Amino acid sequence: MPIELWLLFVTAVAYLGLLFLVAYAAERGWLKPGLVHHPLTYSLSMGVYATSWTYYGSVGLASQGGYVFLTVYLGVTAAFALTPLLLQPLARIVRDYQLASIADLFAFRYPSRVSGLLVTLFMLIGILPYLSLQIQAITESARVIVQDAPPDILALVGCVTLTLFAILFGARHLTPRDKHEGLVAAIAFESAVKLIALLSVGGFALFGVLGGPDALAEWLAEHPERLRQLYDPVGQGPWLAMLFLAFCAAFLLPRQFHMTFAENNNPAALKTASWLFPLYLLLLNLPIVPILWAGIRQGTATAPDFYAVAITLNQAQPWLPLLAFVGGVSAASAMMIVEILALASMCMNHLILPVRLLGHAPQRDLYRWILWTKRLVIALIFAAAYAFHRIIEHNQGLAQLGLISFVAAAQLLPGVLGILFWPRATRIGFIAGLCGGAVVWFALLILPLTVHEGTLTRELALSAMFGEGGANIWSVTTFWSLTVNALLFVLGSLLSPPILEEAEAAEACRPQPAYQPLAGQVAATSPRQFEKQLAKVMGSYAAHAEVLRARLELGLPHDEERPTELRRLRERIHRNLSGLLGPALARLIVDDQLRLREKSHIALAESIRYMEEQLEESRSRLRGAVKALDDLRRYHRDVLHTLPIGVCAVSPQGEVLIWNDAMQAIAGVDARQAMGRTLANLPVPWGELLADFAASAERNRAKQTLQHGGRWRSYRLHKAQIEPSQGQPREAGGLVILVEDRTDLDTLEAELAHSERLASIGRFAAGVAHEIGNPVTGIACIAQNLIYEDDPERLEAAARDILTQTQRISDIVKTLLAFSHGEPLARQPPSLFRLRDCVLEAVRLVRLSHAGRQVQLDCRVGEDFLIRADRQRMAQVFVNLLANACEASDPHTRVEVVAEADGAEHLLVHIYDQGRGIPEEIRQRIFEPFFTTKSVGEGTGLGLSLVHSIIEEHHGSIQIRSRPEQGTVVTLRLPRAAVPAPPEETIIP
């Protein structure tokens, strides 16, 4: 039953509107993200491969070539079976370097504007027959249904309608680097509709026309020639050639490349698609043979290409013809929209933008200009497809037109193999090979097609080269075009040495790229200068937007000035512009406007960070020994970052390379803020501290106090020079600084020192009572006698005696107070004082103890020996040492303190005793905390430990020499203060 043309048009437009609604819903988030990003959606979106050729032309191909039609899908299955070897490496390259089309891929690997330009022009010409196939399919299927529709008007109206919808799908707004989630969802929906429609027609053919499986078996038994027509051409037709062409088309056709790689939101989904998409193609091909046999049994007068529509026309209800027509429109429109969007992107990046941006004044709004130009390009490509359709109208079947484009796409295979497996391939070889193959393709396929009444089914004179049976045009063209292509590709590559850009691109395309440091510093010194430079080509608006986008992606502030971070910013802008303008133009703009300083050193900090990022991204692809090595690297890195001591590694140029977790906690400076900066540019006070320590000759700094976090904290610094191993570059060396936060330890030590002072005062208590008791008794006696004295002279003498005894008591109390003065956590600033005065103070205190009263304490320290130290802590040193000497000495022996100069900068202080000495077996442990040979309750074991700590803190040293029963000599080596003292300083007596 004929259907009105207006109903077909309304149905087609309504269906396209539904597709747009699906796309819009996906973009606005109305559909669940899990559904939009599901591997099933991604796999179905690749169903754009199944065009009108599949929906209509496969039946026509089956009628002529039997099961040869299956090669078009078996080749795709073979390509997806090689996903780990073929598709996943390509997906990684496209994703890592933001390539938007297959022309971008070749322009990236074979760096040249000519590479992208040549691929774009060749694909434009090569895909036109395929686009005209879709127009012819829609026109002819409508004519079959309507029976008297004028095809010219129908084709023109269809092209205009599809142009509008293509603009809505891919050029409604500019998203040059973002994934078109709406387009992916719409194409996945289209693939489902196409499958349902074809299965429905196939079901009708089997049960409605052929009468079911049993009736079909009877009919085939009566007509065995129908089975022979399917099997016989397999051994005679171009089986291998078509299988090979389908293999190439699976990922080299612009629309397939776009949906498989450029629109791939989830890299892991490619693994699912490797089996799900071939399964989808299998389901699509199940109805082909039943539809063919149904058309033959009905005696349908139309061409076999359109049996899928013709066999449904005898139904009383129009829904099945409309469904069949919608399936055909779906197959054709999806292919044309995606193909033309991909071609438009290629034309923009490699034909129009290079001409417009280079040598012209910058656009005020580059994005708007790109958007409207892209819309115009989409319309022009549709117009070219329509014109080509008019030229070859009535010449060829659908399958033949599709195979022309398949042969064209196959010319890109040598270049792709060079990308994946031959680093030596060069752009000269690629251009030469592609030009050679294109010439053969054009001569054997396009020229005969443009001649009226021409045909591609005739045999050529070359067929004699393939045996008595001859060879058809597809085998001949495929063989010779690829042979010429491959030979020129190999010869051109071997005869032209690769340039630096080619070598770098080849390395980037390897499955596991080797580490390549980012060399050089950007001449611009701020993001603002980046904008000014890019604005010369792109305009101020686009330049600001691109720099802002890259800066936000890297998390950099607007006032960033670190050279390594600016180098990273340049790299990110380069990648982003590759998605917007294509890799060739992006490279030209970045190299010209964001130049690197000549002879600038390698930014080692950024190189390390870049290597870390690359290893993180390639983690899932590491195998075997490489993975084991990466595991070891991660283990060492984790050990370094989790050390409880701050680690700061510095390059030979002074850039911070490593700033571990402990260093972040100690300094309060984030690693991202520190990495790449020079030490002097670190935040206050760490920049000055670390830069000064790195430049100094000292390897250790025992104590460094800083006010940090609202309180004074103390640190110990260490450093070591890293020398590069033999064969390593100078940049492999540097300096490592260790920062130890000793605040808590020093606090504990101060508390212990205070406790030790209090313990010492307790031990002196008896001596204090004795020393104070004698003068008090004397004062009491004098006071009693004063009652009876009248002689003025005797009264004056008594008063002087009382004052003398009172001063004696005051001196004792003052000494005790000076020794015990201060809070446990207090630290006195270093002061200048005479060493003799400090020793005498300690002598007076020790004489208060029982042991100190039994020995003779002599001080032989010169008046001119000055030191700069914490006097209170130094007094504790001498109190502890003299107390130990007295306790170890026999009564009535001598303990001497002798000082001498050790050069101009140090003093040696010797403390001699004549005691029992220190046994050899315990001499190595005497400085350990809490180690003591005294009985419980008689000593804390902290005295010598605190002495060692205090002396080390004052940049001195202590040495003990002892012989059993012959006494002990303790020698202190202390820094000597300059003489005379500075005028503004007062020497404390």
Side-chain angles (χ1 to χ4, degrees):
M1 180 182 72
I3 299 176
E4 296 294 331
L5 179 60
W6 68 266
L7 181 59
L8 291 181
F9 181 75
V10 170
T11 302
V13 173
Y15 174 71
L16 291 175
L18 178 61
L19 283 183
F20 176 73
L21 181 61
V22 172
Y24 188 76
E27 289 181 358
R28 296 299 298 269
W30 297 347
L31 300 178
K32 294 182 178 180
L35 176 62
V36 176
H37 300 151
H38 197 277
L40 175 62
T41 303
Y42 171 67
S43 301
L44 285 176
S45 70
M46 285 188 283
V48 72
Y49 175 85
T51 65
S52 296
W53 182 0
T54 298
Y55 198 85
Y56 295 128
S58 290
V59 179
L61 187 59
S63 68
Q64 298 178 10
Y67 282 123
V68 172
F69 82 93
L70 291 176
T71 57
V72 179
Y73 312 101
L74 292 177
V76 177
T77 302
F80 275 81
L82 297 176
T83 293
L85 186 65
L86 187 64
L87 302 186
Q88 285 183 335
L90 288 175
R92 179 195 65 81
I93 297 171
V94 172
R95 181 179 63 254
D96 288 352
Y97 300 99
Q98 299 193 26
L99 307 178
S101 67
I102 193 168
D104 287 356
L105 174 67
F106 289 109
F108 171 77
R109 170 55 183 89
Y110 306 105
S112 171
R113 288 176 57 188
V114 178
S115 300
L117 176 65
L118 186 61
V119 172
T120 299
L121 291 175
F122 184 56
M123 285 294 98
L124 269 176
I125 299 172
I127 298 303
L128 283 179
Y130 214 165
L131 294 173
S132 68
L133 181 156
Q134 314 307 315
I135 300 174
Q136 181 175 336
I138 295 176
T139 303
E140 292 298 321
S141 62
R143 187 167 59 178
V144 168
I145 295 175
V146 179
Q147 297 181 359
D148 60 353
D152 294 344
I153 297 177
L154 187 62
L156 181 59
V157 172
C159 284
V160 172
T161 304
L162 285 176
T163 300
L164 295 176
F165 274 97
I167 292 174
L168 288 176
F169 274 105
R172 183 163 48 91
H173 47 75
L174 186 65
T175 54
R177 291 146 304 197
D178 299 330
K179 307 301 182 182
H180 296 81
E181 295 180 350
L183 179 64
V184 173
I187 299 303
F189 178 79
E190 174 274 330
S191 297
V193 170
K194 182 167 51 187
L195 178 62
I196 293 172
L198 197 56
L199 289 177
S200 298
V201 174
F204 170 74
L206 179 61
F207 295 98
V209 178
L210 297 175
D214 294 337
L216 175 61
E218 294 178 2
W219 182 75
L220 290 176
E222 296 173 0
H223 302 84
E225 70 278 4
R226 299 305 175 192
L227 287 175
R228 287 197 300 273
Q229 288 176 353
L230 293 178
Y231 287 104
D232 290 347
V234 174
Q236 303 173 2
W239 177 277
L240 290 178
M242 294 187 67
L243 193 68
F244 174 77
L245 292 175
F247 173 87
C248 297
F251 58 96
L252 294 179
L253 286 172
R255 70 176 187 279
Q256 287 305 120
F257 187 93
H258 187 79
M259 298 308 299
T260 305
F261 304 121
E263 295 292 350
N264 184 359
N265 282 307
N266 182 8
L270 192 56
K271 294 182 179 180
T272 303
S274 64
W275 62 268
L276 188 55
F277 180 52
L279 177 62
Y280 171 81
L281 294 179
L282 174 63
L283 294 177
L284 271 180
N285 281 276
L286 290 179
I288 299 301
V289 174
I291 292 174
L292 172 64
W293 286 338
I296 294 174
R297 185 166 185 175
Q298 278 189 347
T300 305
T302 61
D305 284 338
F306 300 99
Y307 278 0
V309 173
I311 64 174
T312 65
L313 295 178
N314 295 328
Q315 297 301 303
Q317 299 296 331
W319 67 267
L320 187 57
L322 285 177
L323 179 61
F325 178 73
V326 166
V329 170
S330 180
S333 61
M335 178 272 176
M336 294 188 74
I337 289 173
V338 177
E339 195 82 74
I340 289 180
L341 287 179
L343 290 174
S345 176
M346 294 164 62
C347 290
M348 290 296 299
N349 290 351
H350 302 281
L351 290 179
I352 299 174
L353 284 171
V355 175
R356 180 62 192 177
L357 293 184
L358 301 180
H360 291 78
Q363 296 287 331
R364 290 186 59 187
D365 188 346
L366 179 64
Y367 298 140
R368 185 177 181 84
W369 183 86
I370 289 177
L371 183 62
W372 280 100
T373 306
K374 187 175 183 180
R375 292 171 179 173
L376 178 60
V377 170
I378 290 172
L380 291 176
I381 296 176
F382 267 108
Y386 175 74
F388 195 86
H389 162 71
R390 292 299 305 273
I391 293 174
I392 55 96
E393 188 177 9
H394 307 305
N395 264 15
Q396 303 302 325
L398 300 182
Q400 290 174 319
L401 292 176
L403 285 174
I404 293 174
S405 296
F406 275 29
V407 177
Q411 304 309 310
L412 303 179
L413 183 63
V416 169
L417 295 179
I419 291 174
L420 297 179
F421 307 111
W422 194 27
R424 181 62 176 76
T426 66
R427 57 183 175 180
I428 299 299
F430 170 72
I431 293 172
L434 185 58
C435 288
V439 169
V440 176
W441 169 82
F442 188 83
L444 296 182
L445 294 181
I446 298 300
L447 284 181
L449 194 64
T450 58
V451 179
H452 187 63
E453 300 300 332
T455 177
L456 296 177
T457 58
R458 59 183 171 80
E459 293 184 353
L460 304 179
L462 292 173
S463 63
M465 301 178 63
F466 297 90
E468 296 181 358
N472 61 46
I473 188 65
W474 309 116
S475 298
V476 171
T477 305
T478 301
F479 175 80
W480 283 110
S481 63
L482 281 174
T483 299
V484 172
N485 189 334
L487 286 176
L488 291 177
F489 177 58
V490 172
L491 289 176
S493 297
L494 293 178
L495 295 176
S496 60
I499 61 176
L500 176 61
E501 289 83 356
E502 290 175 328
E504 291 176 350
E507 182 61 37
C509 291
R510 292 177 60 184
Q512 294 180 356
Y515 161 62
Q516 294 181 337
L518 297 176
Q521 292 183 357
V522 189
T525 58
S526 69
R528 180 59 181 165
Q529 289 192 16
F530 276 53
E531 294 181 17
K532 290 181 179 179
Q533 292 299 113
L534 292 176
K536 296 177 182 178
V537 176
M538 303 173 59
S540 58
Y541 177 76
H544 173 75
E546 290 301 319
V547 174
L548 177 63
R549 173 187 173 92
R551 187 167 56 77
L552 293 178
E553 289 174 348
L554 296 174
L556 302 180
H558 69 279
D559 57 350
E560 180 61 66
E561 295 180 353
R562 288 175 289 175
T564 55
E565 298 304 319
L566 294 178
R567 183 66 177 87
R568 293 180 64 218
L569 182 62
R570 180 185 188 271
E571 181 68 16
R572 182 56 61 94
I573 291 175
H574 186 187
R575 292 197 180 193
N576 289 349
L577 289 182
S578 294
L580 177 66
L581 308 175
L585 185 56
R587 185 184 301 110
L588 287 174
I589 292 176
V590 171
D591 289 347
D592 184 55
Q593 301 302 325
L594 302 180
R595 297 178 181 177
L596 299 175
R597 294 175 181 171
E598 294 184 0
K599 300 181 180 180
S600 57
H601 71 274
I602 293 176
L604 186 57
E606 174 51 27
S607 299
I608 292 176
R609 183 182 306 172
Y610 178 73
M611 178 180 66
E612 292 280 353
E613 292 177 354
Q614 292 297 102
L615 288 173
E616 289 296 334
E617 292 176 2
S618 62
R619 173 69 175 168
S620 60
R621 302 191 296 271
L622 299 181
R623 298 290 186 274
V626 177
K627 184 177 183 300
L629 184 61
D630 184 60
D631 290 339
L632 182 60
R633 175 192 67 85
R634 288 170 179 268
Y635 175 76
H636 288 161
R637 182 194 62 185
D638 292 343
V639 169
L640 181 65
H641 281 279
T642 56
L643 281 175
I645 189 171
V647 178
C648 171
V650 184
S651 72
Q653 292 78 29
E655 298 169 343
V656 176
L657 305 180
I658 297 175
W659 191 268
N660 74 342
D661 297 343
M663 198 69 201
Q664 293 186 70
I666 290 172
V669 179
D670 186 78
R672 287 185 62 87
Q673 186 181 2
M675 291 282 286
R677 290 183 181 270
T678 59
L679 289 178
N681 288 328
L682 290 174
V684 176
W686 295 98
E688 182 180 356
L689 170 65
L690 295 180
D692 175 70
F693 181 60
S696 68
E698 54 186 330
R699 299 180 60 87
N700 301 285
R701 187 170 291 180
K703 180 183 177 182
Q704 180 71 50
T705 57
L706 291 175
Q707 190 170 14
H708 180 59
R711 59 177 293 198
W712 285 94
R713 305 188 68 88
S714 61
Y715 304 95
R716 177 175 292 179
L717 307 180
H718 313 268
K719 71 179 179 184
Q721 194 73 31
I722 303 174
E723 298 294 339
S725 303
Q726 186 175 3
Q728 287 186 311
R730 174 178 174 271
E731 288 77 11
L735 185 71
V736 61
I737 299 176
L738 304 181
V739 180
E740 180 184 4
D741 189 347
R742 291 183 54 88
T743 305
D744 294 337
L745 185 61
D746 286 351
T747 299
L748 177 61
E749 184 179 291
E751 292 175 343
L752 292 175
H754 187 65
S755 300
E756 179 67 13
R757 286 199 301 274
L758 296 179
S760 298
I761 292 173
R763 291 194 294 272
F764 298 154
V768 171
H770 178 269
E771 290 294 327
I772 294 178
N774 289 338
V776 167
T777 301
I779 292 172
C781 292
I782 294 172
Q784 290 174 6
N785 294 331
L786 286 176
I787 299 173
Y788 307 104
E789 289 289 346
D790 294 326
D791 185 359
E793 293 183 0
R794 294 179 65 87
L795 288 173
E796 183 179 353
R800 283 196 298 270
D801 290 340
I802 291 174
L803 290 175
T804 300
Q805 298 301 322
T806 303
Q807 184 61 43
R808 180 180 175 187
I809 296 172
S810 177
D811 290 341
I812 296 171
V813 173
K814 182 179 178 180
T815 302
L816 282 174
L817 288 176
F819 181 65
S820 62
H821 175 71
E823 296 295 329
L825 308 183
R827 283 288 190 272
Q828 299 298 324
S831 59
L832 189 66
F833 58 90
R834 294 186 180 88
L835 179 62
R836 175 181 175 83
D837 297 334
C838 185
V839 174
L840 288 176
E841 180 181 322
V843 169
R844 285 195 294 269
L845 285 170
V846 173
R847 281 176 176 163
L848 296 175
S849 66
H850 175 72
R853 292 194 299 271
Q854 292 183 329
V855 300
Q856 181 178 345
L857 287 167
D858 291 341
C859 175
R860 292 191 287 165
V861 179
E863 291 280 351
D864 58 342
F865 290 158
L866 304 179
I867 64 173
R868 191 187 306 276
D870 183 337
R871 179 164 180 162
Q872 181 185 16
R873 292 166 66 78
M874 289 304 297
Q876 184 166 359
V877 167
F878 289 110
V879 166
N880 289 355
L881 292 177
L882 290 173
N884 287 344
C886 292
E887 291 172 358
S889 300
D890 294 327
H892 312 299
T893 57
R894 183 190 300 270
V895 173
E896 296 179 288
V897 181
V898 179
E900 62 178 331
D902 182 19
E905 298 182 352
H906 291 86
L907 294 175
L908 294 179
V909 183
H910 309 284
I911 301 175
Y912 299 93
D913 69 54
Q914 300 170 358
R916 297 180 295 275
I918 303 174
E920 181 68 30
E921 60 270 15
I922 67 171
R923 196 174 300 168
Q924 302 299 322
R925 300 185 61 193
I926 58 178
F927 293 119
E928 294 180 8
F930 305 107
F931 175 77
T932 180
T933 58
K934 298 177 182 179
S935 303
V936 177
E938 294 184 4
T940 63
L942 293 173
L944 287 179
S945 174
L946 289 173
V947 166
H948 184 274
S949 177
I950 294 170
I951 293 299
E952 188 180 61
E953 183 179 314
H954 286 79
H955 308 290
S957 63
I958 181 172
Q959 183 181 10
I960 295 181
R961 293 171 294 164
S962 180
R963 292 183 181 180
E965 306 303 331
Q966 295 185 17
T968 300
V969 180
V970 178
T971 301
L972 304 180
R973 190 171 186 266
L974 298 172
R976 183 178 182 180
V979 179
E984 66 273 10
E985 295 189 83
T986 301
I987 301 176
I988 302 174

